[in-house]
Amino acid sequence: MNKLAIIGGTGLSALAGVTIDDSKACHTPYGEPSAKLVFGNFAGRPIVFLARHGNPHVIPPHQVNYRANLWALKSNGVEHIIAVNAVGGITAAMAPERIVIPDQIIDYTWSRQHTFFEDDLKTVTHVDFTHPYSALLRQKIIAAAAAARIDTVNRGTYGATQGPRLETAAEIDRMQRDSCDIVGMTGMPEAGLARELGLDYASICLVVNWAAGKSTEEITMAIIEGHLKAGMNQIMLLLTRLLENLEISGLNAIDSSSAN
Ligand code: HPA
């Protein structure tokens, strides 16, 4: 059975408008996920929702148990994941409140549990990660944005940093030289782990501040929260339009009782 999950990031610890049928605490070989999996309906579509930072939002990006999150989703039958990520804008088009559908990633994180392929191996596995996001899901998100007349940036390189501190101006300059357009702390290892599990994964990013050194303003939580609040309405609109029109073959009703 195909199932669709939304992983909500900063500003999206609970999905307003979701009709909740069930929620379930999961235990995985990698520990506990960030929060209970919520099974419900959103925009007429059965979905699973997971709050990446917990609900309430208390888990910082470097302490998210990404392996448990992805494992819990997979073992509950999820096959498609739409991740929502808050990011800083590096290149000129990536202004606050812009929505970006990234197509590439550079991973600057360190010491995170970033693979399922390391224990009790009989063979060594290297997954293809040339194109880190699902082309099909990206296409559907971009089409839904166009249909809803939401102005999105339809490509961009996501630079994943360790956090929780923000970057220095020199770090952002280096990331720009590397070709990063946006910077965030949660894009990896999430996308890589999804690929290792064979999950179809794409990200919708909301720019919530100019990255370090890209504006004269100090980056404060008030600035971030202001842009988050303003931009999240657009994200909700986009998710609604996307789910209303989504046709992924075999995307059936979610049955939480069938899960582990
Ligand atoms: N840097 C890293 N992660 C972020 C930022 C940023 O400027 N804004 C939101 N998430």
Side-chain angles (χ1 to χ4, degrees), residues 61 86-89 161-172 175 183-185 208-213 217-224:
V87 296
T161 55
Q162 178 68 359
R165 69 161 175 82
L166 296 164
E167 299 71 34
T168 66
E171 286 169 336
I172 292 296
M175 291 177 75
V183 53
M185 300 175 191
V208 295
N209 58 280
W210 281 114
E217 232 176 14
E218 184 189 352
I219 308 169
T220 62
M221 287 310 293
I223 287 180
I224 289 176

Side-chain angles (χ1 to χ4, degrees), residues 225-244:
E225 279 157 15
H227 291 307
L228 249 183
K229 197 155 177 254
M232 211 36 87
N233 295 333
Q234 295 283 93
I235 298 276
M236 295 304 289
L237 213 65
L238 173 51
L239 286 175
T240 303
R241 180 55 71 104
L242 175 67
L243 266 65
E244 277 169 358

